[in-house]
Each structure stands twice: as structure tokens, then as C-alpha cells.
Amino acid sequence: MAGSANLNVMMKTARKAGRGLLKDFGEVENLQVSAKGPGDFVSRADRAAEELIRTDLMAARPSYGFLGEEGQEIDGEDPTRRWIVDPLDGTTNFLHGLPHWAISIALEHKGQIVAGVIYDPVKDEMFYAEKGNGAWLNESRLRVSARHRMIESIFATGVPFGGRADLPETLQDLARIMPTCAGVRRFGSAALDLAYVAAGRYDGFWERGLHAWDIAAGIIIVKEAGGIVEPLQPNESLLESGQIVCANEPIFDTFAKVIRKA
Ligand code: IPD
């Protein structure tokens, strides 16, 4: 699809950051066996990727604001537009040499996400969408799945580490949802979870405790692929609460009902 100038900037930047992170990912394997381990190295790679993305986006659109996972928050001259960026979503996977992580870049305008890009450099999969122009994976149009039976559906989620406040709720969610469906997956990377719902690989996704940068790009990609995305508590703000439930249209109500019973 021929995207807008903004979308082209986002995709070019994601690819560039992806090339750097892919090189770093190659190093992680060597570091696994060293005494220090790859922890510091991965944090540095994450920060360097955010720096590169911020520099390129701000050079292309100097008036826009910027919010990044690594703590960079810049108010732009234009208060209505800002980039929301996760330079490396799926850091734990990256750290362990698991090839499932992505770069997520969204553009917000007047509080609404209007464009999103999620790039998986390992598989060279570029998921992207712009308001009103559909969702795409590389050159192919995306569509959420058409499954309408819970028992045939696969859902993704994120399971928090021990000690995180939302762990008990997530375990209760799992106890309710697992008997109703064909399976639950936890590959990690909320951004890719959302991209996979848009691609019809998963039928739905829910998670608590996320941040705006984990979900901003995915929200528009799922919506433009025909899916429904809502905050877990209907009266909350999706980006601020970080609690999300999404699915294809035929299954959304049933799925959301099970998850919202918590
Ligand atoms: C994490 C991933 C993970 C999700 C966590 C997020 P990060 O983001 O998206 O899948 O379960 O809640 O924090 O830290 O790898 O950018």
C-alpha cells in the first residue's frame, strides 16, 4: 500500500532500528555464556534503539512530541501530535535469545492513534495501518480471523512475573478462559500479540499492566483489520489504563464477558 509521508517515515525508522537491534541480537548468544550475562548489553541496545528512533522521527517532524519507553518524553511545538514508541517490545525474549520481539511506533493526533507500525526484524514482518486505509503486513492486506466459536479460538495474553500486583487477576482470568477455548499463548511482546490478532493468527488478546508504548501502534492495526479493541474496564482510557481486551468482531462480546468477570 502507498502510505502517507508520516507512515513512510515510521516504517523507514523502524527498519533502521531493526537492523541495529538484529546485530545486537546476534551478540546476545555469545553473552549468554559470559560471566556478566547479557543484561546490561540489552539495556544499552534498547536505549540506543530509542535514541536512534527519536532522532530520526524528530528530524523528520520537528514539531511533534515524543513519548518513549526508555523514559524520553518531549513536548512538541504542536501539542496535538506525538510519537509513542517502544524501541524493543519483548525485552525478556531478546535477553534470552528468543526470536520474538518488535519495534513499535505510533502517531497520536488529538488523543487518537492515527497510524501505527510494528516491525519484527527477525521475520522481516512489517505490520502497519493508518486511519481509514486498512491494515497491512508487508504487501498484503490484513483481516482479523472469522472464527466465531470460542472453543475453536486461540487467545494471547501476558502473564506478569511473581510479585507484580496484577498476577492474581491474570491467574483467575486464565482459570476462566482456558476451559472455554482451544488454547492460550504467551509468547511475549504485547505489540506482536496485537499484530497477530490483526493478522488472524490469534482470535483475541487481553492483558493488564501494559503501558501506552506497548499497545499504541497495535490498537490502530487491530481496528483497521476489522477487530474490536477496548479497555478492560469500559469507562477507562485505553492508553492510560494499559488494560486491554481485543478480538475479532464475532467473538468479542463473549470473550470480553469472560475476561471482565474478574
Ligand atoms: C513487555 C512485553 C510483554 C508484556 C509485558 C510488557 P517490554 O514489554 O510487551 O509481552 O507481557 O507486560 O511490559 O518490557 O518487553 O517492552
Side-chain angles (χ1 to χ4, degrees), residues 81-118:
R81 290 184 172 82
R82 71 172 173 168
W83 304 110
I84 303 180
V85 171
D86 192 340
L88 173 54
D89 185 57
T91 319
T92 309
N93 283 348
F94 193 100
L95 183 65
H96 287 257
L98 286 167
H100 193 75
W101 45 271
I103 295 139
S104 173
I105 303 178
L107 177 61
E108 185 188 47
H109 182 216
K110 295 185 177 166
Q112 300 294 315
I113 306 300
V114 293
V117 161
I118 295 172

Side-chain angles (χ1 to χ4, degrees), residues 41-62:
F41 175 80
V42 171
S43 310
R44 276 200 303 278
D46 202 346
R47 279 198 301 273
E50 181 162 315
E51 190 56 33
L52 180 153
I53 294 170
R54 188 191 55 76
T55 306
D56 281 18
L57 293 178
M58 300 299 283
R61 300 288 179 269

Side-chain angles (χ1 to χ4, degrees), residues 69 86 88-92 157-159 164 186 188-191 193 207-211 213-214:
E69 191 205 5
D86 192 340
L88 173 54
D89 185 57
T91 319
T92 309
T157 191
V159 179
R164 226 173 74 172
R186 196 286 189 259
S189 175
D193 288 337
E207 190 168 343
R208 299 160 199 283
L210 291 168
H211 296 96
W213 45 79
D214 298 313

Side-chain angles (χ1 to χ4, degrees), residues 21-42 44 93-98:
L21 284 168
L22 212 44
K23 249 193 230 154
D24 295 333
F25 190 60
E27 296 285 307
V28 164
E29 217 166 42
N30 303 330
L31 291 165
Q32 299 282 9
V33 288
S34 79
K36 248 181 117 191
D40 289 347
F41 175 80
V42 171
R44 276 200 303 278
N93 283 348
F94 193 100
L95 183 65
H96 287 257
L98 286 167

Side-chain angles (χ1 to χ4, degrees), residues 69-203:
E69 191 205 5
E70 291 304 304
Q72 301 196 59
E73 192 165 1
I74 298 164
D75 291 328
E77 241 170 67
D78 176 352
T80 69
R81 290 184 172 82
R82 71 172 173 168
W83 304 110
I84 303 180
V85 171
D86 192 340
L88 173 54
D89 185 57
T91 319
T92 309
N93 283 348
F94 193 100
L95 183 65
H96 287 257
L98 286 167
H100 193 75
W101 45 271
I103 295 139
S104 173
I105 303 178
L107 177 61
E108 185 188 47
H109 182 216
K110 295 185 177 166
Q112 300 294 315
I113 306 300
V114 293
V117 161
I118 295 172
Y119 182 50
D120 173 347
V122 175
K123 302 175 199 75
D124 192 21
E125 289 192 323
M126 177 74 77
F127 301 87
Y128 56 100
E130 209 165 24
K131 203 161 185 220
N133 282 329
W136 300 76
L137 164 54
N138 297 336
E139 301 305 316
S140 308
R141 186 82 187 247
L142 289 182
R143 194 70 215 153
V144 291
S145 80
R147 259 176 226 103
H148 56 276
R149 283 165 53 85
M150 286 289 284
I151 205 66
E152 290 165 4
S153 300
I154 284 189
F155 299 103
T157 191
V159 179
F161 53 83
R164 226 173 74 172
D166 50 345
L167 179 59
E169 281 107 318
T170 305
L171 297 179
Q172 287 157 21
D173 293 343
L174 288 169
R176 282 195 312 282
I177 200 83
M178 290 184 80
T180 72
C181 68
V184 173
R185 298 289 180 266
R186 196 286 189 259
F187 289 169
S189 175
L192 284 178
D193 288 337
L194 286 160
Y196 281 23
V197 172
R201 295 173 181 173
Y202 296 143
D203 303 292

